[in-house]
Amino acid sequence: MKPADIDFMRLALAEAEQAALLGEVPVGAVLVQEGRVVGRGFNQPIRSHDPSAHAEMVALRQAALGQRNYRLPESTLYVTLEPCTMCAGLLVHSRVKRLVFGASEPKAGAVISRAQVLTQPWMNHRIEVEGGVLAEECAAVLSAFFKARRGQ
């Protein structure tokens, strides 16, 4: 783990809180290049009517638009939950250098839990992975959200 990982993951947690306030599954992400945030996002498929509007997708789209480049080399994505298959593929296609995630996703995680997309031999780009950064805090946000939803 790098020294700034916790600080950037806290920013991703703040994004996740935004999603929760809007009734979306609370996952947040920030994309960092050269020590500065170039993209941020939170889950918003319900409010945007877009099934691809996961936190990772929103953050990477923002960064790509801002840089006017669909490739985001030398970047690190911080996300509060292990990415799904769609988002893992997105990381490969956008050439993200490093992924740092908080909580693992035992049902549908595509990095370490289930599909392990990033380590498949046919992938044309390798991504450094660091999991478990502020995992308990990230999982707690999700647990609280779903507990409240079940109570409704």
Side-chain angles (χ1 to χ4, degrees):
M1 183 167 33
K2 296 183 179 182
D5 287 352
I6 291 180
D7 294 335
F8 287 123
M9 187 59 77
R10 289 201 190 287
L11 293 177
L13 275 163
E15 292 294 319
E17 294 290 348
Q18 291 295 314
L21 289 173
L22 296 170
E24 300 275 3
V25 174
V27 177
V30 295
L31 187 74
V32 174
Q33 276 184 325
E34 298 177 356
R36 69 181 231 286
V37 175
V38 294
R40 55 180 71 230
F42 54 84
N43 270 9
Q44 46 193 283
I46 298 167
R47 75 183 222 146
S48 66
H49 309 289
D50 178 358
S52 72
H54 290 193
E56 302 95 323
M57 184 76 73
V58 174
L60 269 67
R61 281 180 178 159
Q62 185 183 85
L65 282 170
Q67 295 186 17
R68 304 175 66 90
N69 189 349
Y70 72 105
R71 299 285 167 98
L72 300 162
E74 302 304 315
S75 63
T76 299
L77 180 71
Y78 294 86
V79 62
T80 58
L81 184 66
E82 178 183 357
C84 68
T85 53
M86 175 184 70
C87 293
L90 171 67
L91 298 176
V92 171
H93 289 293
S94 60
R95 301 301 192 262
V96 166
K97 180 178 183 177
R98 185 167 176 255
L99 165 67
V100 178
F101 68 88
S104 61
E105 213 309 22
K107 292 180 183 175
V111 177
I112 62 167
S113 296
R114 290 290 176 182
Q116 300 177 0
V117 170
L118 302 180
T119 59
Q120 297 306 311
W122 59 83
M123 286 295 174
N124 63 349
H125 176 68
R126 297 286 172 232
I127 298 171
E128 300 169 30
V129 176
E130 176 87 33
V133 175
L134 298 182
E136 290 179 14
E137 290 179 47
C138 293
V141 169
L142 287 157
S143 293
F145 175 81
F146 286 114
K147 183 178 181 181
R149 186 177 263 184
R150 284 188 300 272
Q152 292 176 349

